[in-house]
Amino acid sequence: MGVLMCVVGIGIVCFCFPYIRCFFKRLSMLSKIKNACWEKGYRLQGTHAFWFLGGKNGKNCDCIIETAEDVFVIKLFGMPRRKRVLVFTEKKEYFTRILVGMLLLIRESFDSKAKQLPEYDFVQTGKAASSDKKLRKILLVNPVPMEMLWQAEKGKETKLSPFPMENMQKENGKERILSPGDVVYDMELANLSWFLKELR
């Protein structure tokens, strides 16, 4: 009985750890964004209680930051499990990829079922700030996965990275690595370090 309880306890810890990690990552993110806004005198406004815990499924954006020139409207997208690859597709879907055998010379992968990305409401949210400033739509991924990719539809050409090892050919289309600042579905893709540089 003791062994069974120990195994169950370990299982619960393993299941909960990514979400505990995500919570503390978001607390750190909140502190860093608040500090950056305080240093620059920017206006930070959450759109709901505990906005820093916002997820990818809700249509409403999570916060607004108003600077002297821009209005950043931010939607949070979390990846609790770090050892995953996040893939966006041209069909406005996303899925995650698990890589196995990376320590061996075999690279196998398993893709989750693709999910439709919601139509996030940036415009209505941004109206809470000054209308004469540039609206910047930010998809802030925090915590971040191992890698983020863009997948073209099968048979369509896509601009790939100049480094061949960074590209993967899949049956359903070519893929290229995404970097912070790339535009995905009319949103600027961001991680925390890139976003803080944009603020400062």
Side-chain angles (χ1 to χ4, degrees):
M1 186 66 177
V3 174
L4 179 61
M5 292 298 292
C6 184
V7 170
V8 171
I10 292 171
I12 292 172
V13 170
C14 290
F15 176 80
C16 293
F17 177 77
Y19 300 97
I20 295 171
R21 171 181 170 270
C22 181
F23 176 75
F24 283 103
K25 284 279 187 182
R26 289 293 181 88
L27 284 179
S28 175
M29 177 202 74
L30 175 64
S31 175
K32 290 177 180 179
I33 289 177
K34 278 188 171 181
N35 286 341
C37 290
W38 180 81
E39 288 173 7
K40 294 292 184 179
Y42 298 155
R43 177 172 171 255
L44 169 63
Q45 177 185 348
T47 62
H48 55 87
F50 304 107
W51 63 265
F52 62 96
L53 298 178
K56 53 184 171 283
N57 295 323
K59 292 186 178 182
N60 293 329
C61 292
D62 297 301
C63 72
I64 304 167
I65 298 176
E66 186 176 357
T67 73
E69 299 177 350
D70 302 314
V71 174
F72 293 90
V73 184
I74 301 155
K75 181 61 188 173
L76 295 172
F77 191 112
M79 290 290 292
R81 291 178 172 81
R82 184 175 62 86
K83 294 184 179 181
R84 296 288 189 273
V85 176
L86 175 61
V87 185
F88 295 101
T89 76
E90 287 192 358
K91 297 179 180 179
K92 207 167 185 181
E93 296 177 335
Y94 69 93
F95 61 87
T96 57
R97 177 172 297 151
I98 304 172
L99 301 178
V100 296
M102 294 183 68
L103 297 179
L104 306 174
L105 295 178
I106 302 172
R107 186 172 180 175
E108 294 290 340
S109 64
F110 299 93
D111 294 346
S112 69
K113 184 178 179 180
K115 297 180 180 179
Q116 193 74 29
L117 199 71
E119 289 287 344
Y120 298 132
D121 179 11
F122 289 93
V123 176
Q124 292 299 320
T125 307
K127 285 182 178 179
S130 299
S131 59
D132 58 340
K133 297 179 180 179
K134 180 183 177 183
L135 179 68
R136 294 184 64 176
K137 305 174 185 178
I138 305 294
L139 185 66
L140 178 54
V141 182
N142 182 272
V144 293
M146 290 174 57
E147 194 170 64
M148 293 183 283
L149 302 175
W150 174 263
Q151 185 183 88
E153 290 184 36
K154 185 177 179 180
K156 291 184 69 174
E157 294 183 0
T158 184
K159 185 178 179 182
L160 296 177
S161 164
F163 305 102
M165 293 302 292
E166 293 183 355
N167 300 323
M168 297 176 63
Q169 176 69 46
K170 302 292 288 184
E171 289 183 358
N172 52 349
K174 293 183 178 179
E175 295 177 353
R176 67 176 176 88
I177 292 176
L178 290 169
S179 301
D182 286 348
V183 176
V184 176
Y185 316 129
D186 198 32
M187 300 177 290
E188 294 179 73
L189 188 65
N191 59 21
L192 182 58
S193 59
W194 179 88
F195 182 62
L196 291 173
K197 287 179 183 177
E198 288 296 296
L199 286 180
R200 292 186 168 120

